[in-house]
Amino acid sequence: MSFLQIDHVSKSFVTPEGGEVHALNDVSVGIEAGEFFVMLGPSGCGKTTLLRSIAGLEYPDSGVISVDGQRIDDIPAYERPVNTVFQSYALFPHMTVGENIAFGLEMEKVDKNEIAKRVDEALAQVKLDGLAKRRPAQLSGGQQQRVALARALAKKPKVLLLDEPLSALDLKLRRGMQIELKRLQQDTGITFVFVTHDQEEAMSMGDRIAVFKDGKIVQLDTPREIYRRPVNAFVADFIGETNLIEGQATPTGIHIPGGGFIARNHIAPDCTFGDSGTVTVAIRPEDFQLSETEGSIHGTVRDVIFTGDSVRVHVQLDSTEVVASLASYGVRVPNRGEKISLNTLEHSARTVAS
């Protein structure tokens, strides 16, 4: 049994129209002690419902949730060895930072000297030493988020649940907080369960990622494996960016729109497909290279978008459009309306189930 064990958990809700939504459909997953585990998926996929079920804010219709060998799904939220950090910081505006952090400990009637010690420790962990007497309104958004984290850490939970805690921050601050959160998790050794719909955030932070769709986990693996070896077209398209091209299989490769052809040695060796029939090929934008000779993929440039370190080139292949990400320096950048050829990196293309 894993440190945080979810076994066959299901949860349904009745809609205002009288219908039924299966938010979780027989979900089972084991999360290890000290792991930074990310639950990723689009809105309505079930990830937040599972987080709330672990926290005790929802009760599953069936299944078992255990932490460190103790079943918790049948006990009240306040008795569970977990704590939650929400998207809204939920800080008390009339209290100081120190009072906000101490509040939960006071409710548990922890000794005052112990509370003071834990508040100081928590502030040090989130790098807010010396700000205990300030009120939330006197802090930036990033600092308020750190106070919410400190409040959760002060209770020394076995599992810290984070429900899209960085979504209210601007991009630069968000990326900085991602690094700090990851370091904080490594320093404390606490098991983090992090919910997000942001693919880049999930890949930059998670030890493992569970990709949710329609109340089920469709793929569970490391960020690298999920990015390079998605199990189906949904995961390939949802994680990062990918081009999904429908082609026709042959014994030597796959014919694609626009008269292009992807040879079998340019398709990942673990992918299997027949000698005929329709197949879907997934190619990441960065796996394209501009060819000055006769490449394997042919099309017309629709748009060229400069993004700084790269150039996104939209290429029309008959009725299909693909995006290639090319370096913005050191190589020729094609022009809009130009007919070009592209090659794929060896073993970079993948066939995926629809």
Side-chain angles (χ1 to χ4, degrees), residues 293-327:
T293 58
E294 186 69 11
S296 59
I297 298 172
H298 319 293
T300 303
V301 177
R302 292 278 310 268
D303 291 292
V304 178
I305 302 170
F306 178 76
T307 62
D309 61 344
S310 64
V311 176
R312 292 169 53 82
V313 181
H314 293 247
V315 183
Q316 191 72 39
L317 323 177
D318 284 352
S319 59
T320 301
E321 184 177 297
V322 300
V323 178
S325 179
L326 308 176

Side-chain angles (χ1 to χ4, degrees), residues 38-43 45 47 196-200 202-203 209-213 218-219 226-227 230 232-244 284:
V38 176
M39 298 195 291
L40 173 69
S43 297
C45 68
K47 60 188 186 299
T196 183
H197 64 271
D198 186 303
Q199 305 93 324
E200 181 182 338
M203 287 190 290
I209 300 173
V211 182
F212 280 73
K213 182 187 180 187
V218 293
Q219 186 166 359
I226 287 179
Y227 186 79
N232 57 30
F234 169 78
V235 176
D237 190 44
F238 190 77
I239 298 290
E241 182 180 10
T242 197
N243 297 287
L244 297 174
R284 298 289 184 187

Side-chain angles (χ1 to χ4, degrees), residues 36-81:
F36 199 124
F37 188 85
V38 176
M39 298 195 291
L40 173 69
S43 297
C45 68
K47 60 188 186 299
T48 297
T49 300
L50 182 55
L51 189 90
R52 289 174 61 85
S53 296
I54 299 169
L57 304 175
E58 301 284 355
Y59 285 85
D61 299 330
S62 61
V64 175
I65 302 173
S66 302
V67 173
D68 199 14
Q70 173 194 5
R71 182 173 180 177
I72 65 168
D73 58 275
D74 57 353
I75 63 176
Y78 62 85
E79 292 183 7
R80 301 187 184 194

Side-chain angles (χ1 to χ4, degrees), residues 132-353:
K133 296 187 181 302
R134 293 194 185 182
R135 296 192 185 277
Q138 297 172 308
L139 304 177
S140 68
Q143 289 173 324
Q144 290 181 39
Q145 181 61 80
R146 293 176 196 224
V147 175
L149 277 168
R151 181 175 57 189
L153 291 169
K155 295 186 71 175
K156 299 188 181 297
K158 291 184 178 180
V159 178
L160 185 62
L161 308 173
L162 301 108
D163 187 9
E164 304 205 41
L166 308 181
S167 59
L169 305 179
D170 64 59
L171 180 60
K172 187 173 182 179
L173 184 56
R174 184 172 184 162
R175 286 181 173 170
M177 282 298 296
Q178 289 170 8
I179 295 171
E180 291 196 27
L181 260 182
K182 183 69 176 175
R183 289 176 180 167
L184 183 62
Q185 187 270 330
Q186 292 170 340
D187 290 344
T188 61
I190 295 173
T191 303
F192 277 29
V193 180
F194 189 98
V195 162
T196 183
H197 64 271
D198 186 303
Q199 305 93 324
E200 181 182 338
E201 187 166 85
M203 287 190 290
S204 67
M205 300 178 72
D207 296 322
R208 287 190 301 159
I209 300 173
V211 182
F212 280 73
K213 182 187 180 187
D214 299 332
K216 294 184 177 182
I217 296 175
V218 293
Q219 186 166 359
L220 171 61
D221 216 321
T222 63
R224 181 182 295 274
E225 284 296 298
I226 287 179
Y227 186 79
R228 298 309 318 183
R229 303 172 75 171
V231 296
N232 57 30
F234 169 78
V235 176
D237 190 44
F238 190 77
I239 298 290
E241 182 180 10
T242 197
N243 297 287
L244 297 174
I245 309 170
E246 194 171 276
Q248 296 296 318
T250 72
T252 56
I254 300 172
H255 286 286
I256 63 172
F261 183 77
I262 301 175
R264 282 187 179 260
N265 69 337
H266 280 251
I267 297 170
D270 61 308
C271 294
T272 58
F273 59 97
D275 292 342
S276 63
T278 301
V279 293
T280 300
V281 184
I283 306 173
R284 298 289 184 187
E286 66 270 20
D287 291 331
F288 281 120
Q289 290 180 323
L290 185 64
S291 174
E292 296 297 347
T293 58
E294 186 69 11
S296 59
I297 298 172
H298 319 293
T300 303
V301 177
R302 292 278 310 268
D303 291 292
V304 178
I305 302 170
F306 178 76
T307 62
D309 61 344
S310 64
V311 176
R312 292 169 53 82
V313 181
H314 293 247
V315 183
Q316 191 72 39
L317 323 177
D318 284 352
S319 59
T320 301
E321 184 177 297
V322 300
V323 178
S325 179
L326 308 176
S328 62
Y329 56 91
V331 297
R332 186 179 73 83
V333 176
N335 298 308
R336 186 175 183 182
E338 182 181 344
K339 294 186 181 300
I340 65 169
S341 292
L342 298 168
N343 283 322
T344 56
L345 298 176
E346 190 172 1
H347 296 159
S348 64
R350 298 190 62 84
T351 55
V352 292

